[in-house]
Amino acid sequence: MTTANRTRKNLEVQRSDHTTIRYTVSGPAGGPTLALIHGWACNRGDYDAVTDHLPEDYRVLAIDLAEHGESRSTRDVWTMEEFARDVAAVLEAESVDTCVVAGHSLGGAVAVEVGRLLPDTVSHVVALDALHYLSLFPALSEEQTDAMLSMFREDFAGGVRGLVEAGSPAGTDTALKASYFEKMVAVRQPAGLRSIEGLVHWDMDAALRATQQPITVFAIRDLVTGEAIDRYGDRFDIVPVDLGSHHFPVEAPEGTAALLAGVGTE
């Protein structure tokens, strides 16, 4: 059973370095808990419609990472590990004993780090079209890292456009791609560039070795490569889905909610 237009409470938690993490809570305190992490240059509002389609007994925490959405910070550290501490601060503030953590895109990397940071709290890690992009998520060579970061440092808008195109299967509506570009290119700076740097420098293989929870990756079918399956199929469960583009939680909220609810009841 789903609940339309859930009642949401907007809350915040304070961290060090003048960091205020804002988040939304809905659902009963005693229900299965799901923590939702948005992607790079996105915000927790991307999950509003998804949340409305989740079972009514679910407790849902949708979190704005630092300098995304309504969260603010003056910190200098923009690693995936530090973003994970943003999420951990919310889980602690809400006295969460156990939960599933799901992240879209960069949020998938953060979700892995939350699992590593809180092994006794996180029961399952879910990545929504994340972790399987071999040109971005695994640790890159020094040459690859320099090339990727130079692209964003020299032409930030061009780098953003490249990400949008890479996440758009053939036939994706041009206007839809344009809307994602406009949203993402407006990310707050310097955090936008710094968090891309943090992702590029992230060592996913080391993080995966240190993360014990099961990991499920829901990946757009047309964007999954056989190479990714061969490399990581024995470490996380890659489930191809046909729900749109890289931003499918926004495009197909009901289908996304069904996927998340399925993980929560395993």
Side-chain angles (χ1 to χ4, degrees), residues 40 104-106 128-130 132-137 151-152 158-174 176-181 184 218-225 241-251:
W40 177 77
H104 168 244
S105 195
L106 173 145
L128 303 173
D129 211 52
H132 63 91
Y133 290 93
L134 300 186
S135 62
L136 183 60
F137 285 94
M151 176 176 64
F152 280 92
V160 174
R161 195 175 300 280
L163 289 181
V164 173
E165 289 296 334
S168 302
T172 301
D173 182 72
T174 301
L176 192 62
K177 291 192 290 185
S179 71
Y180 293 144
F181 170 77
M184 296 167 67
F218 293 114
I220 294 300
R221 189 181 307 276
D222 289 348
L223 302 177
V224 180
T225 65
V241 298
D242 299 298
L243 294 177
S245 78
H246 175 65
H247 294 268
F248 73 85
V250 174
E251 298 164 29

Side-chain angles (χ1 to χ4, degrees), residues 29-238:
T33 301
L34 177 63
L36 300 175
I37 310 168
H38 59 76
W40 177 77
C42 299
N43 61 75
R44 74 185 192 269
D46 290 344
Y47 287 115
D48 284 353
V50 173
T51 300
D52 287 340
H53 286 290
L54 286 166
E56 62 181 5
D57 63 330
Y58 268 57
R59 181 189 189 195
V60 184
L61 312 176
I63 303 158
D64 276 341
L65 300 174
E67 283 298 278
H68 288 75
E70 296 179 328
S71 291
R72 296 291 175 263
S73 179
T74 60
R75 72 192 186 207
D76 297 321
V77 179
W78 298 99
T79 61
M80 301 304 101
E81 295 91 336
E82 192 63 23
F83 279 135
R85 295 184 185 100
D86 292 340
V87 178
V90 171
L91 298 182
E92 181 180 3
E94 293 299 314
S95 301
V96 174
D97 293 325
T98 183
C99 69
V100 172
V101 176
H104 168 244
S105 195
L106 173 145
V110 177
V112 171
E113 288 294 345
V114 177
R116 173 156 72 162
L117 182 65
L118 301 174
D120 297 327
T121 301
V122 177
S123 61
H124 201 122
V125 174
V126 178
L128 303 173
D129 211 52
L131 308 185
H132 63 91
Y133 290 93
L134 300 186
S135 62
L136 183 60
F137 285 94
L140 305 178
S141 68
E142 184 176 351
E143 182 180 358
Q144 291 171 319
T145 297
D146 289 344
M148 175 72 75
L149 295 183
S150 293
M151 176 176 64
F152 280 92
R153 290 166 180 163
E154 297 169 9
D155 180 9
F156 186 78
V160 174
R161 195 175 300 280
L163 289 181
V164 173
E165 289 296 334
S168 302
T172 301
D173 182 72
T174 301
L176 192 62
K177 291 192 290 185
S179 71
Y180 293 144
F181 170 77
E182 293 297 335
K183 175 182 181 178
M184 296 167 67
V185 79
V187 64
R188 289 174 64 86
Q189 298 292 1
L193 178 58
R194 297 293 179 260
S195 52
I196 277 288
E197 293 173 347
L199 179 59
V200 171
H201 285 294
W202 184 53
D203 189 340
M204 182 172 78
D205 291 290
L208 290 174
R209 286 193 296 270
T211 304
Q212 302 304 312
Q213 298 91 336
I215 300 173
T216 299
V217 176
F218 293 114
I220 294 300
R221 189 181 307 276
D222 289 348
L223 302 177
V224 180
T225 65
E227 184 182 1
I229 294 172
D230 291 342
R231 180 167 175 175
Y232 289 111
D234 62 346
R235 179 57 192 91
F236 46 72
D237 187 17
I238 301 176

Side-chain angles (χ1 to χ4, degrees), residues 2-21:
T2 59
T3 303
N5 299 317
R6 280 174 175 248
T7 299
R8 297 177 174 84
K9 292 189 296 182
N10 293 303
L11 302 169
E12 65 181 50
V13 62
Q14 301 294 324
R15 296 196 59 220
S16 59
D17 295 322
H18 302 286
T19 297
T20 301
I21 301 301

Side-chain angles (χ1 to χ4, degrees), residues 20-34:
T20 301
I21 301 301
R22 294 186 168 91
Y23 61 99
T24 301
V25 178
S26 64
T33 301
L34 177 63

